[in-house]
Amino acid sequence: MSSALILHPALILIAGALLLPFLRGTARSIAVLAAPTFALIALWLLPEGRLWEVAWLDYQLAPLAVDKLSRLFATIFALMAFAGGLFALRQESRLEMPAAFLYAGAAIGVALAGDLVTVFVFWEVMAVGSTLVLWSANTKTAWAASLRYAMVHLGGGVILFAGVTGHLLTTGDATFTRMQPDSIAHWLILIGFLINAGAPPLSAWLPDAYPEASWSGTVFLSAFTTKTAVYVLLRGFPGTEILIWVGLFMVFYGIVYALLENDMRRILAYSIINQVGFMIAGIGIGTEMALNGAAAHAFTHIIYKALLLMSAGAVLAATGRRKCSELGGLFHSMPIATICGTIGALAISSFPLTSGFISKSMISQAAADGHLQAVWLLLAAASAGVFLHAGIKFPWFVFFQKDSGLRPPDASGSMRWAMILFAFLCIALGVWPEPLYAILPYAVDYVPYTTAHVLTQLQLLLFSGLAFFVMLNYLKRTPTISLDVDWLYRKPLPGLARRLGTLLHGAMNAMERGVSGTLTGLADRLDAQRGPRGLLAKSWPTGSMALWVMVMLLAYLLFYYLG
Amino acid sequence: MKNEHWLDQPKNIKLLWRGFIAVLALTVLAEFVVHLHPHFEVEGLFGFHAAYGFVVCLLMIVFAKGLGLLLKRPDSYYADSEKDGGNE
């Protein structure tokens, strides 16, 4: 092990997270920005290969392994921790930032894990970190949502654990490489991964939990869990055909629910599922072009989705409102948030000259190259739908539409700089994609800017925009939510549990009555024979003694069975 | 900043609409001069992407509206039931 001089980027960020609670003021701000920066530098100093190797039981683990794919994801996670930290500098909760850095560090840990055991360990640390981010919002709804969130993720963790254990037992090898869904263990691993990706049928955990975090917490949450899931699927299950259909389902699920939604951050949460759907469909197609596209799209998506949620967070911090039906006309007093939010909206819609254009189109291109006409048509329809539900709907209802009369102050200081940084990256990557293409896992043989591509994309998007404004009356916001699968574990299941509880309680009571009846009966008889007036012990106050003996006997019995 | 932003004036909104429609028309008319290299047959149809984008968006909105009839609830729906100790 020549690991003495090699620093693990994930551990740098986690060390930062542990240090933060002890710092105040400027020192804390410097640490917030320095930890992700050091992690990023350490990451790029690492050579490729399995850098740390540890023997554990009969298995060879590699807690630090680097190749192009893992470096790409670790890079964007560190970058996201930096911009998120900058945005959240003024967050009053003292728990949120350390929790977010623990969460980000664990995400980098998953990306740099060379074996499934390390993946699982960091996977669980991520669940803890993200739950803590939710808690730090310190509201009743966030607390309730965090419990549901933790329940889903711990459940997913158990499934993943079972899968990893099965894999270790059958193959004897812990290395995290490509798998086929050909055994129960591998199916369990795939399901564990997909739960974190927000795949059906459990997608509802995401829009249920993320929008309940603080104005800055949601920015962190949007980036890591779903994208580490994309990463592990890219490495573990490329070309698994079912993923095409899972991805396409997610794409349309996200659009339809976002169209019905009124809460601005829930719109963006549904749109995360929609965007991850594109990536998962790409992973399912599985050609080098498609995998490059999925990886590139994860990279650009983290940036523009964080930017969108930053602009929404700025609005929430300034107004305390989340519902589109209570917002509108904010461009008057929040020009920076409006412009940055609109740039994020254009990028998510894949407008030419934005980052979404140069990443998502690779997935569509891969579908065309593979002659998958149905997939291609559905992806094109979904692209139009993205513009509809996120590209126009979000900025329109929050910043424009009818004037709500609100004139909140614009985002200032660090919040503004974080938004400007990510807005700049959205445009920069769209104009100059080569640096991103250079760090993708496979060599890129793709030119995004052809006249035909730009023209067809503009047609598709602009006519979707026309459809939005033509149908505006049908899209009017109502103060409603839409039922999702979480209804099951929020309405009937708790009701069922309560009823079951009452039933059990009744049964327990009946049993108690039965037992105590027997006991008193027994005690009476004992009393009669050995009580003060009994035959065997006339002078003993054994009325209560008998009961104590019974208790001892029962305890003996209990220990006998337990032993 | 006063309430009278240039975007608040109806005549400017009308101007934006005209500009938007002009751009829409241009993107379709440009097909006369740009060769599209269609991968699939449908892609070669004149104005395919424009019509497809418009129609699928209408369909998605109509579908979402229909589903909304079934799934929409007041946004206090969960708050009411979870207050009395639901599943917290």
Side-chain angles (χ1 to χ4, degrees):
Chain A
M1 255 200 289
S2 62
S3 61
L5 289 171
I6 293 177
L7 287 172
H8 195 312
L11 300 184
I12 294 178
L13 213 50
I14 292 173
L18 299 178
L19 191 68
L20 279 179
F22 302 103
L23 301 175
R24 294 283 183 278
T26 320
R28 181 174 183 273
S29 301
I30 291 173
V32 165
L33 300 180
T37 312
F38 286 152
L40 197 59
I41 293 171
L43 172 70
W44 279 88
L45 289 176
L46 295 176
E48 289 196 5
R50 287 163 73 90
L51 303 176
W52 285 5
E53 293 213 297
V54 186
W56 177 74
L57 303 181
D58 293 336
Y59 307 103
Q60 198 67 18
L61 306 188
L64 181 59
V66 182
D67 65 4
K68 285 190 93 171
L69 182 64
S70 54
R71 201 193 306 267
L72 176 78
F73 274 82
T75 301
I76 187 61
F77 290 153
L79 203 62
M80 177 63 224
F82 178 84
L86 181 63
F87 183 74
L89 272 183
R90 285 211 225 139
Q91 172 60 250
E92 281 171 6
S93 160
R94 302 200 56 83
L95 170 64
E96 186 180 286
M97 190 87 79
F101 275 20
L102 178 72
Y103 179 31
I108 294 177
V110 171
L112 296 176
D115 66 90
L116 286 166
V117 177
T118 311
V119 166
F120 175 76
V121 170
F122 280 120
W123 197 262
E124 293 304 297
V125 178
M126 264 177 27
V128 173
S130 50
T131 307
L132 287 176
V133 171
L134 268 173
W135 275 5
S136 56
N138 207 14
T139 62
K140 251 188 174 167
T141 48
W143 167 254
S146 76
L147 292 187
R148 293 191 293 273
Y149 175 85
M151 176 188 79
V152 170
H153 286 275
L154 295 180
V158 170
I159 294 174
L160 181 63
F161 182 76
V164 170
T165 316
H167 175 85
L168 292 184
L169 286 177
T170 46
T171 62
D173 184 16
T175 314
F176 182 22
T177 53
R178 185 173 179 170
M179 291 167 270
Q180 302 289 340
D182 51 7
S183 65
I184 294 176
H186 289 169
W187 271 106
L188 290 174
I189 294 177
L190 181 61
I191 292 169
F193 287 170
L194 281 172
I195 287 177
N196 268 24
L202 281 179
S203 321
W205 65 261
L206 197 159
D208 176 27
Y210 285 1
E212 299 305 330
S214 76
W215 54 267
S216 54
T218 307
V219 176
F220 288 112
L221 290 172
S222 73
F224 302 114
T225 302
T226 47
K227 260 61 76 186
T228 41
V230 167
Y231 163 79
V232 290
L233 288 169
L234 262 168
R235 183 173 296 284
F237 295 95
T240 303
E241 202 192 320
I242 189 178
L243 292 180
I244 299 179
W245 307 107
V246 171
L248 285 172
F249 179 89
M250 290 168 71
V251 162
F252 288 101
Y253 161 89
I255 294 171
V256 168
Y257 269 86
L259 282 175
L260 291 171
E261 188 53 57
N262 185 34
D263 181 318
M264 63 174 174
R265 296 203 300 173
R266 283 174 64 91
I267 293 175
L268 295 176
Y270 281 118
S271 123
I272 294 176
I273 297 181
N274 158 276
Q275 292 294 302
V276 171
F278 280 103
M279 299 166 211
I280 290 188
I283 297 169
I285 295 171
T287 58
E288 288 193 356
M289 170 79 86
L291 298 176
N292 267 345
H297 202 49
F299 193 97
T300 58
H301 165 82
I302 287 179
I303 296 173
Y304 58 67
K305 182 46 58 74
L307 177 61
L308 283 164
L309 282 165
M310 282 177 191
S311 71
V315 169
L316 178 65
T319 65
R321 300 183 189 197
R322 293 162 49 176
K323 294 172 189 171
C324 289
S325 50
E326 299 172 354
L327 293 164
L330 296 183
F331 72 91
H332 287 104
S333 65
M334 302 186 79
I336 300 278
T338 306
I339 292 169
C340 290
T342 307
I343 289 174
L346 292 176
I348 199 174
S349 313
S350 305
F351 255 88
L353 300 182
T354 65
S355 55
F357 183 74
I358 59 106
S359 57
K360 190 163 75 186
S361 52
M362 295 170 92
I363 300 173
S364 297
Q365 185 65 41
D369 291 345
H371 311 294
L372 305 166
Q373 182 163 0
V375 176
W376 181 84
L377 278 172
L378 289 170
L379 285 174
S383 294
V386 173
F387 190 41
L388 201 62
H389 84 272
I392 315 183
K393 184 180 170 177
F394 167 73
W396 173 258
F397 281 111
V398 173
F399 296 112
F400 301 101
Q401 66 157 337
K402 65 173 193 333
D403 192 354
S404 62
L406 296 171
R407 293 292 181 272
D410 205 349
S412 58
S414 62
M415 289 168 78
R416 173 179 299 195
W417 285 112
M419 287 199 283
I420 290 175
L421 170 69
F422 267 13
F424 169 78
L425 283 178
C426 282
I427 306 277
L429 287 170
V431 177
W432 191 37
E434 282 76 16
L436 175 60
Y437 284 176
I439 57 172
L440 293 181
Y442 303 100
V444 176
D445 175 27
Y446 178 64
V447 182
Y449 288 103
T450 63
T451 327
H453 184 204
V454 172
L455 185 69
T456 50
Q457 183 72 0
L458 280 178
Q459 276 190 12
L460 190 75
L461 293 180
L462 293 175
F463 276 86
S464 316
L466 181 67
F468 178 86
F469 287 108
V470 168
M471 301 291 278
L472 200 52
N473 268 336
Y474 290 91
L475 291 165
K476 282 248 167 67
R477 294 299 80 232
T478 49
T480 51
I481 55 156
S482 307
L483 299 186
D484 203 330
V485 175
D486 60 338
W487 177 79
L488 279 177
Y489 53 78
R490 299 177 72 174
K491 282 279 182 182
L493 273 184
L496 202 69
R498 267 197 296 276
R499 223 161 300 156
L500 210 69
T502 327
L503 206 74
L504 275 177
H505 195 70
M508 284 293 283
N509 275 346
M511 227 158 73
E512 244 165 58
R513 271 196 302 277
V515 170
S516 66
T518 322
L519 278 182
T520 18
L522 212 65
D524 282 348
R525 242 173 301 149
L526 282 169
D527 192 44
Q529 290 174 5
R530 300 157 205 238
R533 288 172 305 282
L535 288 170
L536 294 171
K538 282 197 162 144
S539 58
W540 291 4
T542 28
S544 58
M545 266 306 273
L547 205 72
W548 282 112
V549 170
M550 277 313 295
V551 171
M552 297 269 292
L553 278 175
L554 278 175
Y556 174 73
L557 204 67
L558 195 72
F559 282 114
Y560 177 79
Y561 277 116
L562 285 178
Chain B
M1 202 173 299
K2 289 278 154 266
N3 275 359
E4 268 306 286
H5 193 276
W6 64 271
L7 271 175
D8 288 326
Q9 294 176 3
K11 72 167 200 283
N12 287 332
I13 300 289
K14 194 172 271 180
L15 211 65
L16 277 180
W17 261 108
R18 288 197 183 140
F20 182 48
I21 289 167
V23 172
L24 287 177
L26 271 180
T27 57
V28 178
L29 293 176
E31 280 193 28
F32 285 117
V33 283
V34 176
H35 182 61
L36 291 185
H37 318 289
H39 263 280
F40 302 110
E41 227 171 280
V42 282
E43 258 191 289
L45 299 175
F46 183 76
F48 167 75
H49 289 85
Y52 187 64
F54 187 74
V55 170
V56 293
C57 281
L58 290 192
L59 289 178
M60 281 187 272
I61 293 172
V62 170
F63 180 76
K65 279 302 265 188
L67 200 67
L69 292 178
L70 217 69
L71 296 180
K72 271 195 178 187
R73 296 288 183 278
D75 54 12
S76 57
Y77 179 74
Y78 287 118
D80 293 344
S81 72
E82 284 168 8
K83 220 178 290 165
D84 49 73
N87 60 340
E88 278 97 324

